[in-house]
Amino acid sequence: HDNSNGFYYNGATFDGIVKRPRDQFLLAGTLYTMLGGNSHSFKAGFDWQGLESTASFAYPNNRVYEANGFDPVTRTIDHDIRNDFDPPAPSTSQGDVYAFFLRDKFEVGKRLFFEVGLRYEKQEGDSDVGNTTVDTDSISPRLAGSYDVAGNGKSIISATYGRFSQYLIQGFSDSFAQVPQQGNYDVYEWDGTQYVFSGRVETGGSSLTPNTNLDASYLDEFTIAYSQQIGNTIGVGIRGIYRTWNDLIDDVVSFDSDGLLIREYTNYGPAERDHTALQLTFEKRFSNNWYAQANYTWSETEGNHFANTASQLGDYLQSDCRTTIDPSIGNNGVIPCREAVEGPNATGLAAYDRPHNFKLFGAYVLPIGSLVDLTFGTNFDYISGINYRKNRAVTALNPVTGAAVANVTYNYEPLGSDELDAYFSWDLSLEAVFNVWKSVQLGVKGEVFNVTDEQEKITVNNTQWCDAQPGSASCQTARNNYGTATARGSFQAPRNYRLTALVRF
């Protein structure tokens, strides 16, 4: 309710946040030469990215009213408290990423080809008051080789190895912000006729201390592949992929001897993540008026760490965790938090893991004279359903005071124990274009999405569980609702249509 003097609210805030690249610069060059009878292609480059993240949270007129009630008939407000906020100051963090790379591409004989590279990267970041939040660098080798089996360029065996460093997202530096947003304000209480000053609230910035000794996370990737050309227009291939992540970053929450919380970022040793995949591909280049492409991927991503920089891994390892809902957990509902956050059930498949994915694309062009082209298109996608598991929130207890601190997730089974059924989607399109002048075309395109109107469940909204039998009413409710979806967005969108008028030139 706006009274032209401030803003009444029901708990919502007006806020804004902007993240953007500040600047970017790339310089690269290539040199071709002959060394030892072999042709070499040297490439070197320098890359710089400047990053900036600005958060600015403010209420209209920097004033908020809290009311006990509002009478819609008399249009009167039962006043309570008014908070006058200090003029807002934006919180802006900055970062820079520098990279320098070298690459040499050469051949050994007429069938063996290599590409060797090395990349150096440096990342720096500052908080909104200029304190260093990130200062890390890495060296990443790259190697690729291929062998022409028959010497005709149609049967190729290839293998690659690469190390890829992962930049810390700019939001990481934001977590050390010292400029308070909506944190400092004067409090006024209504005395029946007017607002009277009653106190001042001031909050400082983040209590986190940056760990400038962090190493950049990185993954090592290995691939091996075979590709075969069939005739002049068809190619098939098979590729195996293995990836493993190292130096994963996480925040670790613990307690000091007085029971005070300590939170710090570190390259957490027990954090694990691996990915294995097999890809099969088929491609028919455009000829005789048609084109087709199909691929199938089997993959598996598993581990215990799938967050950017903050998960519950490593948190509250000295504490007990408690639930009053399910006494079957631990000893009458009390379990060491270590077992919840790092036990065997904290490891398994990533939530985004999809073991099977098959895609098919195709198009056929039918010319009608020299003025009109009709194009028929189709797209088919089959994919495994998401995985989920039975879990429940348990409360971590302060080991010194016994007070409740925060909730962590306890899993009854390993990650990914349950999986939704696979589902598919089939789309069709028909396009007619008229060649009106040189390369200018006018046309119309009609599309049908989800032709068969499949509306399978694609995600789960309720994963809370309870093992206690018989249990409380809330326990029974959790068992009844487990694995259900309760939102429209949790199902495939129904069949829908789109009609487009287009101009190409």
Side-chain angles (χ1 to χ4, degrees):
H1 176 74
D2 186 1
N3 69 343
S4 74
N5 195 26
F7 182 71
Y8 283 93
Y9 80 115
N10 61 356
T13 61
F14 286 81
D15 49 64
I17 188 163
V18 177
K19 296 180 184 294
R20 61 181 182 271
R22 195 157 34 103
D23 293 290
Q24 188 167 350
F25 176 77
L26 174 65
L27 176 65
T30 305
L31 172 66
Y32 297 92
T33 186
M34 295 288 291
L35 294 175
N38 297 319
S39 62
H40 287 254
S41 170
F42 292 101
K43 185 174 183 178
F46 173 76
D47 178 22
W48 168 67
Q49 298 178 58
L51 307 172
E52 183 177 277
S53 174
T54 298
S56 183
F57 297 85
Y59 295 107
N61 299 323
N62 301 319
R63 180 173 287 178
V64 170
Y65 295 86
E66 298 180 18
N68 293 319
F70 173 71
D71 189 332
V73 177
T74 62
R75 311 298 294 175
T76 57
I77 300 171
D78 182 5
H79 300 279
D80 186 16
I81 294 175
R82 189 187 82 199
N83 297 324
D84 289 1
F85 287 81
D86 292 353
S91 171
T92 301
S93 67
Q94 294 186 345
D96 294 282
V97 180
Y98 308 91
F100 177 76
F101 62 89
L102 293 169
R103 188 208 70 182
D104 181 16
K105 192 175 183 179
F106 61 95
E107 59 186 70
V108 179
K110 295 183 178 180
R111 296 190 181 185
L112 193 57
F113 307 88
F114 288 100
E115 185 170 342
V116 180
L118 193 67
R119 182 179 182 90
Y120 170 79
E121 295 170 309
K122 172 74 173 179
Q123 182 178 11
E124 298 175 343
D126 295 323
S127 71
D128 54 3
V129 293
N131 293 334
T132 299
T133 56
V134 180
D135 185 5
T136 184
D137 59 2
S138 61
I139 296 178
S140 304
R142 313 282 169 83
L143 174 64
S146 60
Y147 178 70
D148 186 350
V149 177
N152 58 8
K154 293 186 176 183
S155 304
I156 306 295
I157 297 174
S158 61
T160 68
Y161 163 73
R163 174 165 292 184
F164 304 91
S165 296
Q166 179 176 327
Y167 299 137
L168 284 162
I169 60 175
Q170 194 60 29
F172 178 80
S173 293
D174 291 341
S175 63
F176 302 97
Q178 296 300 308
V179 179
Q181 300 289 298
Q182 298 174 323
N184 298 336
Y185 55 92
D186 294 326
V187 180
Y188 293 81
E189 294 185 0
W190 184 256
D191 69 355
T193 58
Q194 62 181 344
Y195 284 104
V196 179
F197 178 78
S198 67
R200 170 79 175 168
V201 174
E202 291 192 1
T203 59
S206 171
S207 60
L208 281 173
T209 301
N211 178 5
T212 56
N213 293 319
L214 285 175
D215 294 322
S217 299
Y218 66 91
L219 71 86
D220 287 324
E221 179 186 80
F222 303 84
T223 74
I224 184 169
Y226 174 76
S227 60
Q228 177 67 51
Q229 181 179 330
I230 302 173
N232 293 324
T233 62
I234 296 177
V236 295
I238 181 171
R239 178 183 301 273
I241 302 172
Y242 175 73
R243 295 171 181 163
T244 183
W245 281 257
N246 300 274
D247 283 343
L248 289 168
I249 296 172
D250 208 331
D251 66 330
V252 176
V253 182
S254 58
F255 299 89
D256 65 14
S257 58
D258 296 323
L260 299 178
L261 275 173
I262 302 172
R263 182 179 174 220
E264 58 183 353
Y265 284 96
T266 183
N267 296 110
Y268 195 60
E272 299 177 348
R273 190 190 314 161
D274 296 287
H275 173 81
T276 307
L278 179 67
Q279 298 176 339
L280 304 176
T281 59
F282 168 89
E283 182 175 3
K284 197 272 184 187
R285 297 177 183 173
F286 184 80
S287 65
N288 297 322
N289 295 343
W290 69 283
Y291 158 86
Q293 184 184 62
N295 62 72
Y296 165 77
T297 300
W298 170 88
S299 65
E300 183 178 81
T301 303
E302 57 184 355
N304 59 12
H305 187 285
F306 306 106
N308 284 325
T309 55
S311 73
Q312 68 176 27
L313 195 66
D315 293 346
Y316 311 113
L317 298 185
Q318 320 108 298
S319 304
D320 283 335
C321 283
R322 179 183 63 199
T323 173
T324 58
I325 303 298
D326 189 355
S328 70
I329 295 177
N331 182 11
N332 197 30
V334 178
I335 189 173
C337 290
R338 178 184 291 273
E339 186 173 335
V341 301
E342 291 192 358
N345 291 348
T347 299
L349 299 176
Y352 53 79
D353 185 74
R354 304 290 187 95
H356 305 285
N357 191 192
F358 173 76
K359 296 179 182 291
L360 173 65
F361 309 91
Y364 181 80
V365 179
L366 177 63
I368 301 178
S370 60
L371 295 179
V372 180
D373 288 332
L374 290 179
T375 302
F376 302 88
T378 186
N379 170 42
F380 180 84
D381 188 11
Y382 172 91
I383 189 169
S384 298
I386 68 162
N387 65 71
Y388 56 104
R389 79 285 185 192
K390 299 179 177 72
N391 62 74
R392 169 165 294 281
V394 292
T395 303
L397 306 177
N398 189 309
V400 177
T401 66
V405 178
N407 288 338
V408 300
T409 300
Y410 169 80
N411 298 310
Y412 291 85
E413 298 173 342
L415 302 182
S417 297
D418 293 319
E419 182 181 308
L420 288 180
D421 292 337
Y423 59 93
F424 72 90
S425 180
W426 180 33
D427 306 328
L428 289 175
S429 68
L430 174 62
E431 176 185 286
V433 295
F434 300 85
N435 303 301
V436 294
W437 181 70
K438 293 185 178 180
S439 60
V440 178
Q441 295 179 325
L442 298 177
V444 63
K445 183 176 182 179
E447 297 167 280
V448 183
F449 302 97
N450 193 4
V451 174
T452 57
D453 200 27
E454 299 293 316
Q455 297 186 44
E456 295 294 327
K457 183 166 56 175
I458 58 177
T459 191
V460 170
N461 299 113
N462 297 300
T463 60
Q464 192 176 80
W465 183 254
C466 182
D467 259 350
Q469 292 182 325
S472 62
S474 59
C475 185
Q476 189 58 48
T477 298
R479 297 176 66 88
N480 294 339
N481 292 340
Y482 176 72
T484 59
T486 56
R488 172 61 242 182
S490 300
F491 299 84
Q492 287 178 271
R495 183 192 301 117
N496 58 96
Y497 309 88
R498 181 167 65 189
L499 185 65
T500 304
L502 57 91
V503 179
R504 289 201 185 103
F505 55 91

